[in-house]
Amino acid sequence: MAPGESTSALEESTLAVGESTLALGESRDAEFDDGTALLRRGTALPGAQVLSSAAELLSPGAVLLSPGAVLLSPGAQVLSPGVVLLSPGVVETCTKRPETLRARCRDERILLVTSIVQSARDARPDEWWRSAVVYQVYPRSFADANGDGIGDIKGILGHLDYLSMLGVDVVWLSPVYTSPQDDNGYDISDYQDIDPLFGTLDDIDKLIEELHDRGIKLVMDLVVNHTSDEHAWFEESRDPESPKSDWYWWRPAREGHEPGTPGAEPVNWGSAFPGPAWQYDAARGEYFLHIFSRKQPDLNWENPEVRTAIFDMMNWWLERGVDGFRMDVINLISKPEVEDGPETPGTGLCYDLSRLADGPRMHDFLGEMYESVLKGKNLIAVGEMPGTTLEKAASYTDPTTGELSMVFQFEHVDLDHRAGNRFDVTDWPWVEYKKNVLRWQDGIGMGWNSLYLENHDQPRSVSRMGDDSPQFRQASAKTLGTVLHMLRGTPYIYQGEELGMTNYPFEAEGDFRDIETLNYLHHAMQLGAPAEAVLPGLAKGTRDNARTPMQWDGGVNAGFSETGPWLAVNPNASEINAVDQIKDPESVFHHYRRLVQLRHDEEVVRLGEFALLLPDDEQLFVYTRTLGDEQILVLANVSSRPARLPLGLPDHGACEVLLATHEIDDVDVLAPWESRVVRLS
Ligand code: TEU
Ligand code: CA
């Protein structure tokens, strides 16, 4: 293609000779006139970007991601037009004019892709989740049908019409398996049975059936980094002679230390629920690893028998009709060398969880899971990955080499944690958050992002990122939904988020139930901190903020249960509840229903390229999504003060407004927490 030649030619899905010629869908070796093998494995996926990430253009690991891509070296990733990642970690903005780029490419024998044949990769049938919206149910707190104050499966069955009305495509169900509930079910003692607290296997079969009847899929929570210490596998493993003796991480006491005494732990790893991550077991005479609570011993995935047992269990659930898995802390299953880590100042332990994340055998283990369980079954597989990186996430979710549909990354939900401490919360840093969004929207490449602000481990977003005062609660809840749901990726709605539920006014130790929160309080008090000094931080950062009962109506126990619930209902249920909001077309509920509809109706929302505008503006969160010649503009004021739109934004005054939180009095001014989605073309 001669310099300056329009890209339209390429829309006929060919690439000019000399820069490698591939017809869409074709894959073959490409030769340069000097005979070097240029392209060993290349596939132009229908509707996808030109070459799959499996294409090794110049050398292994080179990935071609989008138009104007220039590949400069092994492992180089091109993030977006003109932006070049020279090699992992090194980014250089390439604003050179095409012909200069071309010359450079020719000299450096680099393939220059000048446009995307078909802009966005349309969802292949086995990638339905690229167009889906997921709703997370935390069973303990959703709805109680048998009056014991704890939510259950029959309670969920009683509210499926509500989920159909919201329009969601998938339900992610947090654990309902047999469990002593030390960590509310994330400590499983039998993977193939339902805890009587929540119901029976018949109840779950009914839930699968009734959801499917409504065209809604069910994703189960897969908690296999650890089991409960009451799981038969662990009880057996405590016997060093048993065939399962190596199913967990057992180590002798530290050299020269009396087993069971402080400091005798094998190495200085700290647990996420603080304190040492190693517990002495007198019966076995050794320590076992538990990254989370003492009742959550880590499984030894190095042992192939462990992997087989887990894959068999996963296939058992798939045969029962579930449509995929959300995989709990799945990037912790491959452990690093068991050796001391750098001490976290003032603690005597190493609390850096990221050191235990994304170990050397992650792709081995996930690859085996993919081959033995996931492959070719049209499933959704979401990996929860605390401490993972953009590069790692891109590798796990790459459609041709990765094993997962998407991951839950944690970078954004740690942004307001002072020194990584979730109980020492700052104001929400919007400018940093926008930059984080840009990095992941651009950097995930061929992979795919999950989109979330809330889940059962995070405080309520309207209180944390928005403004939960009576004046602005509704508007900020809606606008947080707008800025999240208009991004590229799969959005997750956590129960109550669609109502704008807020944090709870926790005041005393007795108000909390969460093991992480109570452990942190007791640990801080052991270190001499007065409870009243710790409580305010706990109230802000506790996971219990997400776990207060669902507010169905303004009545007794907010319609969650007839008897006193396991965790107190938020006193603002009389103002914030589903029944009232369903009746009010201006409610947060109906705003979320429209957000879900917009994603279902608009391909540009599902697949359009993301571009951030005004990155450094403290008040405004503005971006576009572009798909071919379609473009939408998202305008949001993320502050409690009016914001004037600066000059230089795409002209949108006369454009079709697809969604708005406020009557538009002045197109150039956004009211506090006002947001609009506008169709530019
Ligand atoms: O959470 C993993 C995780 O890293 C954190 O969210 C963690 O819960 C904690 O808040 C760290 O500050 C998953 C589950 O989502 C969580 O509910 C479980 O407690 C945890 O794993 C262990 O299974
Ligand atoms: Ca119940």
Side-chain angles (χ1 to χ4, degrees):
M1 171 173 41
E5 180 183 340
S6 83
T7 55
S8 57
L10 285 174
E11 258 97 29
E12 276 89 49
S13 65
T14 60
L15 283 169
V17 171
E19 288 161 349
S20 172
T21 307
L22 275 177
L24 264 185
E26 181 196 4
S27 81
R28 63 175 179 77
D29 285 356
E31 292 293 324
F32 240 123
D33 49 25
D34 65 1
T36 25
L38 171 63
L39 185 68
R40 271 178 285 286
R41 267 179 312 113
T43 311
L45 295 169
Q49 277 131 0
V50 175
L51 291 165
S52 84
S53 56
E56 292 152 6
L57 293 161
L58 275 180
S59 46
V63 175
L64 200 59
L65 287 166
S66 53
V70 177
L71 239 58
L72 290 152
S73 64
Q77 279 192 346
V78 174
L79 298 182
S80 58
V83 176
V84 179
L85 181 64
L86 293 178
S87 56
V90 182
V91 169
E92 178 199 345
T93 303
C94 235
T95 52
K96 296 188 179 58
R97 284 179 310 100
E99 51 282 1
T100 327
L101 272 174
R102 185 177 307 290
R104 179 164 170 195
C105 298
R106 223 188 307 287
D107 316 352
E108 298 170 21
R109 295 171 49 205
I110 286 171
L111 174 74
L112 173 61
V113 172
T114 50
S115 87
I116 289 192
V117 173
Q118 256 176 322
S119 61
R121 53 177 300 121
D122 213 335
R124 297 190 318 224
D126 63 346
E127 293 182 345
W128 51 269
W129 35 266
R130 289 179 189 267
S131 311
V133 177
V134 183
Y135 188 91
Q136 180 192 359
V137 169
Y138 191 69
R140 275 185 90 87
S141 306
F142 192 68
D144 170 26
N146 68 348
D148 64 355
I150 296 176
D152 43 52
I153 298 169
K154 284 201 171 62
I156 303 169
L157 282 163
H159 288 85
L160 295 184
D161 293 349
Y162 172 82
L163 299 178
S164 293
M165 193 192 309
L166 188 56
V168 296
D169 308 287
V170 183
V171 164
W172 153 28
L173 181 60
S174 276
V176 289
Y177 315 95
T178 314
S179 161
Q181 304 294 322
D182 186 57
D183 184 17
N184 290 1
Y186 281 91
D187 50 311
I188 298 168
S189 51
D190 184 343
Y191 288 108
Q192 292 171 232
D193 200 355
I194 303 299
D195 195 288
L197 262 180
F198 297 125
T200 64
L201 282 170
D202 291 347
D203 292 335
I204 202 86
D205 290 345
K206 192 159 173 24
L207 181 63
I208 295 168
E209 185 196 335
E210 296 226 5
L211 283 170
H212 287 175
D213 293 353
R214 288 174 173 77
I216 300 175
K217 294 180 184 268
L218 178 65
V219 165
M220 292 291 272
D221 215 308
L222 181 78
V223 187
V224 291
N225 170 70
H226 46 266
T227 68
S228 164
D229 64 345
E230 298 182 28
H231 193 294
W233 294 348
F234 185 73
E235 284 168 350
E236 206 185 313
S237 185
R238 297 174 69 202
D239 168 4
E241 306 314 315
S242 81
K244 290 190 173 54
S245 63
D246 183 38
W247 278 43
Y248 292 81
W249 288 81
W250 294 100
R251 290 290 185 282
R254 183 185 289 272
E255 197 74 28
H257 285 256
E258 177 56 35
T261 61
E265 292 81 13
V267 291
N268 69 349
W269 296 356
S271 154
F273 297 164
W278 294 84
Q279 175 65 27
Y280 184 62
D281 182 89
R284 168 102 183 200
E286 285 188 308
Y287 286 78
F288 64 87
L289 172 65
H290 61 88
I291 293 177
F292 294 92
S293 90
R294 286 197 189 134
K295 289 183 68 57
Q296 292 170 299
D298 284 58
L299 278 164
N300 175 17
W301 274 69
E302 304 292 332
N303 183 327
E305 292 169 7
V306 168
R307 300 197 297 270
T308 305
I310 289 168
F311 300 156
D312 293 350
M313 175 268 286
M314 293 173 75
N315 281 321
W316 183 84
W317 277 108
L318 293 178
E319 276 133 35
R320 235 186 162 84
V322 304
D323 306 287
F325 298 99
R326 174 267 185 191
M327 306 178 184
D328 191 63
V329 288
I330 201 70
N331 66 329
L332 300 182
I333 61 178
S334 168
K335 315 294 190 212
E337 274 313 304
V338 177
E339 59 195 5
D340 283 336
E343 189 183 308
T344 305
T347 69
L349 294 169
C350 170
Y351 275 109
D352 177 0
L353 200 64
S354 68
R355 290 183 68 259
L356 305 181
D358 303 301
R361 300 194 63 196
M362 276 305 295
H363 280 297
D364 298 350
F365 297 157
L366 290 180
E368 216 176 290
M369 180 194 281
Y370 182 78
E371 295 301 327
S372 324
V373 180
L374 305 175
K375 192 172 176 183
K377 294 181 181 155
N378 207 16
L379 302 171
I380 181 171
V382 192
E384 185 211 22
M385 295 199 167
T388 203
T389 63
L390 174 55
E391 290 67 31
K392 289 265 187 323
S395 71
Y396 294 132
T397 62
D398 177 305
T400 45
T401 56
E403 305 86 359
L404 302 176
S405 321
M406 64 195 88
V407 303
F408 288 137
Q409 53 103 351
F410 279 61
E411 283 185 9
H412 64 304
V413 290
D414 289 346
L415 286 174
D416 59 348
H417 295 170
R418 213 174 265 113
N421 179 354
R422 68 174 302 143
F423 299 115
D424 186 358
V425 178
T426 68
D427 290 343
W428 183 254
W430 276 103
V431 170
E432 269 185 83
Y433 174 58
K434 293 195 291 182
K435 293 194 172 141
N436 175 274
V437 167
L438 173 61
R439 231 167 58 76
W440 283 79
Q441 288 280 293
D442 273 356
I444 200 69
M446 295 286 279
W448 191 251
N449 279 310
S450 66
L451 306 171
Y452 76 96
L453 293 178
E454 294 192 23
N455 60 37
H456 62 293
D457 290 334
Q458 302 298 331
R460 292 291 185 178
S461 58
V462 70
S463 301
R464 181 185 188 184
M465 304 145 183
D467 179 338
D468 62 5
S469 66
Q471 186 185 4
F472 294 127
R473 183 191 63 72
Q474 182 159 309
S476 67
K478 289 180 179 180
T479 287
L480 289 171
T482 304
V483 295
L484 185 77
H485 281 248
M486 291 302 104
L487 293 174
R488 181 179 156 84
T490 298
Y492 287 74
I493 302 173
Y494 176 65
Q495 66 184 47
E497 186 175 7
E498 77 281 8
L499 301 176
M501 282 174 61
T502 72
N503 280 355
Y504 180 92
F506 294 105
E507 284 167 352
E509 174 176 351
D511 296 344
F512 299 109
R513 297 288 178 278
D514 169 35
I515 183 172
E516 180 187 33
T517 306
L518 291 167
N519 278 15
Y520 182 91
L521 174 61
H522 301 146
H523 197 70
M525 291 164 76
Q526 266 163 22
L527 297 175
E532 51 285 355
V534 186
L535 283 167
L538 292 185
K540 268 194 163 181
T542 180
R543 305 188 297 178
D544 279 337
N545 277 314
R547 300 172 181 189
T548 57
M550 181 66 173
Q551 296 165 207
W552 292 108
D553 60 39
V556 178
N557 303 320
F560 164 76
S561 68
E562 273 132 35
T563 57
W566 70 279
L567 184 63
V569 170
N570 195 314
N572 62 18
S574 48
E575 295 106 56
I576 305 171
N577 62 69
V579 164
D580 291 354
Q581 294 199 24
I582 289 167
K583 282 184 272 177
D584 168 8
E586 290 314 310
S587 68
V588 181
F589 175 81
H590 286 296
H591 183 76
Y592 268 80
R593 202 177 45 68
R594 294 187 198 103
L595 286 168
V596 174
Q597 193 60 48
L598 208 47
R599 179 170 289 272
H600 289 164
D601 296 348
E602 301 289 338
E603 196 182 17
V604 65
V605 171
R606 296 194 301 275
L607 302 165
E609 295 290 324
F610 171 87
L612 180 65
L613 307 176
L614 313 174
D616 300 312
D617 195 298
E618 302 269 343
Q619 281 191 283
L620 292 168
F621 191 169
V622 177
Y623 58 89
T624 60
R625 302 284 310 281
T626 308
L627 182 69
D629 47 23
E630 277 192 270
Q631 190 173 50
I632 62 169
L633 173 68
V634 177
L635 300 159
N637 177 358
V638 290
S639 75
S640 301
R641 294 169 286 110
R644 173 164 295 283
L645 295 172
L647 299 174
L649 288 178
D651 181 13
H652 59 271
C655 296
E656 177 196 1
V657 176
L658 296 170
L659 184 66
T661 55
H662 294 58
E663 288 304 313
I664 301 176
D665 312 334
D666 178 338
V667 288
D668 298 323
V669 174
L670 293 177
W673 297 105
E674 177 179 358
S675 56
R676 305 171 194 161
V677 180
V678 180
R679 187 193 304 283
L680 294 178
S681 62

